[in-house]
Amino acid sequence: YISLVTPQRIKIDIIMEGTDNSNSNHQARLVITPTKTALSATLSNLIIQSCHRALQNFDTFTIALSGGSLPTFLQDLPDAFAKAGKDPQWDKWHVLLADERCVVSSHEDSNLGAIRTHFTNSVGIPPSQIYGIDETLLGSSEDVAASYEENVVKYLLEKKKKSATTTTT
């Protein structure tokens, strides 16, 4: 878990995988940058490093994204991967939402909508690997939350099972 903050109090929280499962002592980091431009570069570098490690170790990359200004910073990520000479292997990414509002994804307040507009629509992440809320349940925020939790927990448990099988064979 990483929080990035600029002096203008722009805070971005990201949760990434990419470390060895045997190291269960993951600690949060706070990264402070002097400008928005520096924040974008720092964010890209952190994601590239984490993605590279995760793909090497697990052949998949999972990232949980929040909304706010984060989606606009992600639009530079494909170029950052190219400049770093790294293949992001978008087809192996899984995108979870760290938070979402109970609105349809086409609504201007939707974090998923912003993430799609500024990032995922321009890269090759399969839509089935982008875990949004069930918009048919929007009449009840409790049902939306329960459904999302079930889908994300199901994915994470399947991933853990695959990882355990891979490491024991």
Side-chain angles (χ1 to χ4, degrees):
Y1 180 86
I2 300 171
S3 282
L4 301 168
V5 183
T6 69
Q8 295 84 12
R9 296 287 185 227
I10 298 167
K11 181 179 177 201
I12 294 181
D13 295 322
I14 54 176
I15 304 167
M16 300 184 294
E17 76 170 5
T19 57
D20 187 325
N21 275 346
S22 64
N23 178 8
S24 60
N25 189 16
H26 300 288
Q27 294 188 354
R29 287 193 287 167
L30 175 64
V31 180
I32 300 174
T33 63
T35 65
K36 280 186 178 183
T37 304
L39 177 62
S40 182
T42 300
L43 175 64
S44 292
N45 288 334
L46 289 168
I47 292 173
I48 290 167
Q49 291 169 18
S50 184
C51 176
H52 181 71
R53 282 191 309 268
L55 292 173
Q56 281 185 324
N57 295 331
F58 310 112
D59 200 37
T60 187
F61 178 61
T62 303
I63 186 167
L65 302 171
S66 61
S69 55
L70 176 63
T72 58
F73 290 112
L74 295 174
Q75 64 192 4
D76 298 330
L77 197 53
D79 289 338
F81 269 100
K83 286 178 186 172
K86 303 280 186 190
D87 179 5
Q89 301 181 51
W90 301 117
D91 61 317
K92 296 181 180 183
W93 281 50
H94 290 262
V95 177
L96 310 176
L97 298 178
D99 66 83
E100 177 60 303
R101 296 175 177 100
C102 286
V103 296
V104 294
S105 58
S106 59
H107 191 279
E108 66 182 27
D109 290 337
S110 170
N111 292 331
L112 178 58
I115 290 167
R116 284 179 177 157
T117 298
H118 295 287
F119 177 53
T120 61
N121 286 350
S122 64
V123 298
I125 301 172
S128 64
Q129 293 171 200
I130 302 168
Y131 301 86
I133 63 171
D134 183 346
E135 295 178 18
T136 65
L137 301 174
L138 283 174
S140 165
S141 58
E142 291 83 10
D143 290 346
V144 169
S147 172
Y148 186 74
E149 180 179 5
E150 181 180 319
N151 289 334
V152 169
V153 168
K154 180 180 174 184
Y155 159 69
L156 293 173
L157 288 174
E158 288 173 4
K159 182 178 169 199
K160 185 173 183 176
K161 183 191 279 187
K162 284 181 190 177
S163 178
T165 302
T166 303
T167 58
T168 59
T169 58

